[in-house]
Amino acid sequence: MGLYLNPPDRALVLCVDEKSQIQALDRTRPLLPLRPGLPERQTHDYKRYGTTTLFAAFNILNGKVMGSCRSRHRSREFLSFLKELEKGGPADLEIHLILDNYSTHKSQAVQRWLQPKKRQRFHLHFTPTSSSWLNQVSVGSA
């Protein structure tokens, strides 16, 4: 909570979350338009076009969301998203990430990439177990 109430000077605070297994669907036929006395109608069946994973970072200062879709949900894809955040963020600011305790965030590959000598400006803050509601971004199921 301290990062929200009193963020460090010269820092960018981002809330990060991901949603995996998002299905790309399309109806088999176009919507039937409204008519007097009849609601808009659609078919019950649809075509599947595969799945994707959404990675999102919410900037608590300005409310902007940086997002990226990946074909899979592994530490490799999360690491790729971190590299995008590094490239897209101001080079003169520290980056504080608020994350849940998902194993992807704590993998050896991510830990190696974050080693202090390489990425001193990155700071990861994990929400306590069962407290992901503390994170201001959530891309979970509705």
Side-chain angles (χ1 to χ4, degrees), residues 19-20 138-142:
K19 173 64 178 156
S20 62
S138 179
V139 290
S141 300

Side-chain angles (χ1 to χ4, degrees), residues 34 55 67 79:
L34 290 167
F55 291 90
L79 191 54

Side-chain angles (χ1 to χ4, degrees), residues 2 4 8-10 13 18 23 36 45 50 60 65 71 75-76 79 86 100 107-108 112 120 127 131 136:
Y4 297 137
D9 292 335
R10 310 288 308 145
V13 178
E18 64 276 321
Q23 294 188 40
D45 55 343
I60 67 163
V65 175
S71 60
S75 60
R76 180 182 302 166
L79 191 54
E86 180 181 41
D100 59 19
S107 71
Q108 288 182 358
R112 275 193 305 273
Q120 292 181 0
T127 59
S131 298
Q136 289 192 10

Side-chain angles (χ1 to χ4, degrees), residues 33-91:
L34 290 167
R35 291 193 331 207
L38 288 175
E40 182 177 73
R41 295 166 287 157
Q42 60 188 2
T43 61
H44 69 284
D45 55 343
Y46 49 86
K47 298 178 205 170
R48 293 179 189 259
Y49 292 104
T51 62
T52 189
T53 295
L54 170 66
F55 291 90
F58 173 66
N59 183 334
I60 67 163
L61 183 62
N62 62 16
K64 291 187 178 180
V65 175
M66 295 166 271
S68 179
C69 287
R70 300 278 192 261
S71 60
R72 299 192 59 190
H73 186 220
R74 301 173 300 182
S75 60
R76 180 182 302 166
E77 286 77 21
F78 179 64
L79 191 54
S80 176
F81 183 61
L82 289 178
K83 290 175 183 176
E84 281 184 28
L85 294 178
E86 180 181 41
K87 193 167 44 172

